[in-house]
Amino acid sequence: MDKLFNRKKIILVIGGGISAYKSLDLIRLLKKQGCQIKVILTESGKKFVTPLSVASLCQNKVYENIFDSTREAEMDHISLSRWCDIILFAPATANSISKLASGRADDLASTVILASNKQVILAPAMNVRMWIHKSTQNNFNKLLDYGYVFVGPTTGEMACGEYGEGKMSSPEEIYEFIKNYFLNRDIVKDKNLKALVTAGPTKEYIDPVRFITNNSSGKQGYEIANSLAKSGIETTLISGPSKLKKPQNVNFIKVETAKQMYMETKKALPVDIAICAAAVTDFKPEKYEIYKIKKNDLNINFKRNPDILEFLSKNNSQRPKLVVGFAAETNNILKFAKEKKIKKHCDWIIVNDVSNPEIGFDSEYNAVTIIDDKNIEKISKNSKTNIANKIVRKIVNNFIQ
Ligand code: C5P
């Protein structure tokens, strides 16, 4: 019996696919390691495996119906979604993936998932054409955006005789994936990691009505803070002016100027991880005029703002173990980014090409390249949420190795 699995509670949703029989093996594997399993069998799932075989394997009642008159008082959809550590949907069909992506709740499985605050893991299984269809891929991306994670599908010969991507991962692969998930989550929790993220623009006042700023939305930094917090890392988000909602479970500090951001950063130390995603205004007026400047009196001198990234990287007494900077470049992207990494002494630079109007500053999308001491890793155009999840996965891996 694996200690990691001992007493972990899993809801397994079995959907209607030929690979449903593999989920019976998965139940066996997980039970052997000491997991408690409750199974929800969808209407079409019942066509492939019987409630009786599932119930005898998991040694628990099988849940089938959202409107079960004998159990109405127990509110199954809420109590089930609160009971478990994770929800695993295997096999997840094209139809169930579409249903989850649109937020429908018309059976017990979709209602439990919509009502859940736990990690949802999906193991898709379908014909290759169904999997690569644009609508399934859109639904897949939407679910990634919602924070769901996928194991598989894999490539191979399908039950229908065709060949391609769409096969459900094997019970062993799914088992290993879940094991990794628990391992990462528990290790991260044990390490008590702390992170600090700067995000958004800063605003430098010239006089009571005028200021300089930029059009950074803050979205990428907010998503990174959100994803760090979801991974169990204690996260402080120091944000310049932004219209975005504060992410959940994050220590949120709102500032206006670069100087305030710098002071709050200093106060947040020590941390293990610092991500400087803010578009800090490089200059500020040398002197703030307390009265509105007259039109003809325009004579402003500027001075540099403190460089927060450089301060964190060069801070010998309280340097975070990992300092990550961002670079927005329009040309010679890799060359300039590498130079910035050296100049600022940070560990990673994440660079985005802001000459592409479809990504970057005020967009929902981004495409980045992560440069560390050894590797250059490209993440192609994706929602800022997915980019954040990928960056955070790399950060977590860096700490658990
Ligand atoms: O020098 P440049 O502004 O291009 O560097 C960008 C990186 O430096 C970003 O990570 C940004 O958050 C950080 N930065 C900072 N403080 C400044 C200027 C930039 O932390 N004053």
Side-chain angles (χ1 to χ4, degrees), residues 198 276-278 280 282 305-309 325-326 340 344:
T198 68
C276 293
V280 183
D282 289 311
N305 262 324
D307 192 310
I308 301 165
L309 176 62
F326 272 75
K340 190 163 290 176
K344 302 227 182 189

